[in-house]
Amino acid sequence: MSGRSAALARPRFGPLAVDARAVALAAAGRLEEAGAVLDGAPPLRPDFYFSVFATLRAMAVVAVGRRQPAEELYAALLPVSGQLAGAASTSLAMRPVAHTLAELARLLGRRGAVAEHLDEAVAVARAWEAPRWEAEALAVRRPAARLGLTGQTRTR
């Protein structure tokens, strides 16, 4: 995919579709195309949906292994680590931001932060009574702990 594909997504679905498209391509194993879409991604808007689109972009960035945007997204999402992505919008919610921060921390080599973020993701999911998001964070936390990618993890 070229930057042209990212540009084609904009007129039909607007600039916000770029991040969702990059995630979909990455999930389909089309990493080169996902990277090309990310290359054409517009700046994230600082609005009520910021954490949603930053989370989507982070998911794509992690999938393609890009450290520079990972650094920027990590810093941008850190202030909302204890929230669900999209909670500020009151109309849409995604997995805990802390789960995304754990993935970014792993990509950035911040081993100690991985456990902290995953523990927080579990706590946020439990607070929102979201067993799927809790299970997803726990599923990532267990193998990470076995590989030494996390600090000490707490059993809950």
Side-chain angles (χ1 to χ4, degrees):
M1 175 180 300
S2 66
R4 181 176 177 267
S5 294
L8 289 174
R10 286 192 190 132
R12 186 168 178 193
F13 302 108
L16 301 178
V18 172
D19 294 307
R21 182 173 174 81
V23 169
L25 288 166
R30 296 163 58 182
L31 300 180
E32 188 174 313
E33 292 174 75
V37 170
L38 286 172
D39 290 341
L44 293 169
R45 295 177 358 182
D47 60 15
F48 289 117
Y49 292 100
F50 176 81
S51 64
V52 170
F53 292 105
T55 294
L56 287 171
R57 185 161 301 170
M59 292 167 71
V61 162
V62 167
V64 300
R66 294 204 176 161
R67 292 182 57 88
Q68 182 57 38
E71 289 279 0
E72 295 166 7
L73 288 163
Y74 187 88
L77 286 169
L78 200 54
V80 293
S81 68
Q83 298 178 15
L84 295 178
S89 73
T90 68
S91 63
L92 171 71
M94 293 175 59
R95 70 183 187 183
V97 171
H99 189 132
T100 301
L101 286 166
E103 291 176 345
L104 291 167
R106 181 176 293 139
L107 174 64
L108 296 169
R110 298 178 183 170
R111 298 166 65 118
V114 174
E116 293 172 22
H117 292 308
L118 288 172
D119 285 344
E120 185 173 24
V122 169
V124 170
R126 286 180 177 161
W128 283 89
E129 298 179 10
R132 178 177 177 190
W133 291 331
E134 177 185 351
E136 288 173 358
L138 287 170
V140 173
R141 188 174 71 174
R142 288 182 191 118
R146 282 195 297 274
L147 295 172
L149 294 175
T150 64
Q152 291 191 331
T153 57
R154 295 183 295 270
T155 305
R156 295 186 182 170

